[in-house]
Amino acid sequence: MKNSEDWEGAAKKQQNKIEAWRLSYLSVEELLCLQLLGYSPKQLYEDMESERYSLKETASMSIRELDKAKRILDRQTKAGVITIPYHEEAYPHHFRNLCQDAPPLVHVLGNKDLLNREDNVAIIGARAADKDGLDVAYGLAKQMGEQGHIVISGLALGCDTAAHQGCLDAGGQTIALVASGLDITHPRVNKSLQDEIIAKGGAILSEYPFGVKANPTKLVARCRMQVVLTQSVIVAQCPIISGTMYAVRFAQEYNGVPFGWENKVYSVRYDTQNELNSGNKFLLDYNLALPIRPGQEVTLDNDNRLVIYPYY
């Protein structure tokens, strides 16, 4: 009997410890409040373990920002947006590979279950793409969509738009990573595309709450989230100086044993070289990417890695 009582007491003590640990996490409202106060993801993660209760106190004392956070979250909920904090099971587990650069909150419109799918490919490229670049992005995404895989891109004009549309036209689902609050479509001309993505079972994802507008800094930061969701990043077409190159750099930075993640970058090889595809040539010339030819067939293997069929 004593052994049983000891076991029950130990079990209860452990349960209380777990419950206290859970309660010590910052709530969604507190996390958003701290972000409104100017805390960066890195600052929050650095203080999370040692100063968690201090952070909770800071949030509780910041009445104006806490009220604003609650109003924003209420608006988002009414609009169908789901906000997921870093400590919840539904949080995209790939983002944990970003370590201290992981967003403490992610805001999702549409199918949140896609965020933890493994069978996905990022297809990205420049806004000012020519017909060749748009055709490649569309064609590769269509193949992925036909096979039931997820296409990830950034809802920008050019290659991103072509990739999303190619996947949708094949009956597939696609995820758009954006650099603004989900009450804003950037660019505005892609509002109908955003609506189609959601209507066809896809998702729009942001680390920013309602009211935040996109800017160059946020667009660059968005790139890290695009590439960490997948093991395969395809550069459809881009100049050597372009936002797409930031995504390639992030794919290289958040990669390997320290991050528990391995990805590969692929670049389309064009027969005719010009300024619009100079970035593709650079990546291939310096062995920073593996080649894909326009029109080449691709698929994913059982480990969700890109397989490229021979080019004839």
Side-chain angles (χ1 to χ4, degrees):
M1 186 69 174
K2 184 178 180 181
N3 289 338
S4 177
E5 289 176 353
D6 289 346
W7 181 87
E8 289 177 359
K12 186 175 182 180
K13 186 177 180 180
Q14 181 65 17
Q15 185 61 39
N16 290 340
K17 184 177 180 181
I18 292 172
E19 189 62 26
W21 179 75
R22 286 175 177 167
L23 290 173
S24 72
Y25 273 118
L26 297 164
S27 69
V28 173
E29 292 83 1
E30 290 167 334
L31 282 168
L32 183 52
C33 171
L34 292 168
Q35 288 183 308
L36 293 174
L37 286 168
Y39 282 80
S40 68
K42 188 169 292 187
Q43 288 175 311
L44 286 174
Y45 284 116
E46 285 175 348
D47 294 340
M48 202 69 77
E49 294 301 323
S50 60
E51 303 293 339
R52 189 175 294 152
Y53 291 104
S54 176
L55 289 173
K56 289 175 77 72
E57 183 178 4
T58 297
S60 67
M61 294 178 64
S62 304
I63 298 173
R64 185 177 62 180
E65 287 78 11
L66 190 58
D67 284 345
K68 183 178 180 180
K70 291 176 180 177
R71 290 195 304 271
I72 290 172
L73 291 168
D74 183 59
R75 285 176 56 214
Q76 293 190 170
T77 299
K78 290 178 180 177
V81 174
I82 300 169
T83 299
I84 309 172
Y86 72 99
H87 56 78
E88 281 193 5
E89 189 174 338
Y91 184 87
H93 64 272
H94 298 301
F95 285 168
R96 301 191 192 282
N97 297 324
L98 291 168
C99 300
Q100 291 187 343
D101 290 328
L105 296 172
V106 293
H107 310 276
V108 188
L109 192 59
N111 186 357
K112 67 180 179 62
D113 294 336
L114 297 184
L115 305 183
N116 283 305
R117 285 272 294 269
E118 302 285 351
D119 60 323
N120 50 45
V121 173
I123 301 176
I124 58 177
R127 292 187 296 274
D130 60 18
K131 185 178 184 302
D132 290 338
L134 297 177
D135 288 347
V136 165
Y138 181 92
L140 290 169
K142 187 176 182 182
Q143 289 187 59
M144 289 292 107
E146 289 171 343
Q147 297 168 29
H149 302 310
I150 310 302
V151 170
I152 299 166
S153 202
L155 202 69
L157 297 176
C159 290
D160 288 12
T161 294
H164 289 305
Q165 198 64 61
C167 182
L168 292 171
D169 289 351
Q173 296 168 305
T174 180
I175 300 172
L177 273 294
V178 301
S180 65
L182 296 180
D183 57 331
I184 301 169
T185 302
H186 181 81
R188 292 181 182 178
V189 70
N190 270 351
K191 179 63 168 67
S192 60
L193 176 59
Q194 176 174 295
D195 292 342
E196 185 179 0
I197 289 171
I198 296 168
K200 292 185 176 180
I204 314 295
L205 176 66
S206 177
E207 64 179 311
Y208 303 108
F210 271 18
V212 175
K213 296 181 179 179
N215 62 33
T217 300
K218 291 181 174 62
L219 287 166
V220 170
R222 178 271 310 268
C223 292
R224 81 193 195 286
M225 296 170 65
Q226 284 180 316
V227 300
V228 82
L229 279 177
T230 180
Q231 296 184 77
S232 305
V233 178
I234 301 176
V235 177
Q237 186 186 61
C238 75
I240 195 168
I241 300 176
S242 68
T244 303
M245 286 300 193
Y246 285 106
V248 172
R249 181 174 65 81
F250 283 127
Q252 295 167 338
E253 180 179 349
Y254 299 108
N255 185 38
V257 175
F259 299 96
W261 190 246
E262 183 179 351
N263 55 34
K264 291 185 178 180
V265 178
Y266 300 82
S267 179
V268 176
R269 186 189 296 279
Y270 292 91
D271 291 329
T272 302
Q273 306 299 320
N274 56 45
E275 176 58 29
L276 291 176
N277 60 47
S278 58
N280 297 68
K281 184 177 186 301
F282 174 84
L283 293 174
L284 294 171
D285 286 350
Y286 287 89
N287 297 315
L288 298 173
L290 298 170
I292 299 181
R293 287 282 188 175
Q296 206 159 4
E297 293 186 13
V298 297
T299 188
L300 295 179
D301 64 17
N302 292 333
D303 294 321
N304 298 309
R305 297 186 181 279
L306 195 69
V307 176
I308 305 172
Y309 291 102
Y311 179 77
Y312 299 103

